[in-house]
Amino acid sequence: MDVLYFAWVRERIGLPREQIETDAATVNDLVAELRAREDRYDMAFSDLGALRVALDQQLSDFDAPLAGVREVAFFPPMTGG
Amino acid sequence: MRITVQEAPFDLGAEANAFAAGRMDMGAIVTFTGVVRDLPGDPLLAMEIEHYPGMTEAALTDIATRAQERWYLGDVLVIHRYGRMAPGEAIMMVATAAPHRRDAFEAAEYLMDFLKSRAPFWKREITANGASDWVEAKDTDEDALSRW
């Protein structure tokens, strides 16, 4: 699946998007896999309360299932307007 | 309904006039414009706005559709910019047209409240002192949604 990062999440991880092969069942499982990879991921995901997640461009939750999802995006709370 | 996400500046007067033109049954047009605001103490050089292409348009369309379901509106316009802009430049505008002003005002406020914390934009402020900080979302913005 494609995993996208925006704003300071993108800056901390150091890239805007990547393709990830995963069997993670939920967003939380995917986050745990990413955090185990490297310190920069661990730091970016250290406070999930400060993060939002979108699945296929719809706002979702960290306990949502990933079955059938093609695009996951992580970002801080939005500041439009 | 028109939803536009663009980097280029827009002409507020021309957009408002075009939005209002040709409708004889709309007694009320409300427009709101968000403008880059200078900061007290540490002058702002620029604001940079990042967004999530695809999701941004979908989220704005969803918000505008819900406004149209809730109020009696003839039309809705949302223009939101991304990229770099200077203090005083317009960031975005919404416009609503309705037969009566209450629907137009309330729908415009609804659009703004949801657009601030449910449309995937992120602002960064670059100041004269060299700071370059992401603008943090405010609890009051989230609280504002509960009144709807």
Side-chain angles (χ1 to χ4, degrees):
Chain A
M1 66 178 61
D2 288 314
V3 181
L4 283 66
Y5 310 109
F6 291 96
W8 58 254
V9 184
R10 171 178 54 73
E11 290 179 332
R12 280 187 201 174
I13 290 174
L15 72 175
R17 66 157 63 211
E18 61 186 321
Q19 274 217 313
I20 291 178
E21 296 295 327
T22 179
D23 297 322
T26 67
V27 177
N28 275 321
D29 294 343
L30 175 63
V31 168
E33 270 184 30
L34 290 169
R35 292 190 70 173
R37 276 182 165 188
E38 285 179 54
D39 281 352
R40 59 196 168 110
Y41 288 95
D42 193 33
M43 275 179 54
F45 289 104
S46 61
D47 178 11
L48 291 190
L51 288 177
R52 300 289 179 267
V53 60
L55 303 181
D56 289 331
Q57 306 194 350
Q58 293 274 345
L59 271 183
S60 190
D61 298 304
F62 283 86
D63 54 8
L66 287 178
V69 170
R70 286 181 298 185
E71 186 172 293
V72 180
F74 294 104
F75 43 78
M78 295 156 271
T79 53
Chain B
M1 180 197 303
R2 180 159 74 90
I3 307 292
T4 302
V5 181
Q6 63 183 46
E7 186 162 16
F10 59 87
D11 183 330
L12 171 63
E15 295 291 353
N17 284 331
F19 180 77
R23 297 295 299 253
M24 303 303 146
D25 51 345
M26 295 294 127
I29 307 284
V30 165
T31 66
F32 172 86
T33 312
V35 177
V36 180
R37 178 167 50 98
D38 201 358
L39 301 172
D42 186 6
L44 188 74
L45 288 183
M47 173 171 279
E48 283 180 358
I49 299 181
E50 180 172 332
H51 79 114
Y52 182 172
M55 180 174 167
T56 309
E57 291 81 355
L60 293 175
T61 302
D62 182 51
I63 294 165
T65 300
R66 276 186 280 145
Q68 284 187 315
E69 288 166 358
R70 184 157 175 173
W71 288 278
Y72 191 89
L73 300 174
D75 203 359
V76 177
L77 169 68
V78 180
I79 301 175
H80 204 302
R81 296 176 62 197
Y82 60 89
R84 189 177 176 99
M85 44 208 98
E89 280 189 55
I91 302 168
M92 53 78 59
M93 70 175 288
V94 301
T96 53
H100 303 288
R101 71 175 187 275
R102 186 176 295 277
D103 282 339
F105 271 124
E106 285 188 5
E109 284 214 75
Y110 174 94
L111 288 168
M112 286 311 304
D113 281 348
F114 277 86
L115 197 149
K116 274 194 105 63
S117 42
R118 290 292 184 274
F121 292 99
W122 300 276
K123 293 185 181 124
R124 184 215 289 275
E125 291 171 339
I126 296 144
T127 70
N129 292 352
S132 174
D133 296 322
W134 293 102
V135 174
E136 283 193 41
K138 298 186 194 77
D139 290 340
T140 50
D141 290 340
E142 196 62 33
D143 295 344
L145 303 186
S146 61
R147 70 175 164 139
W148 304 111

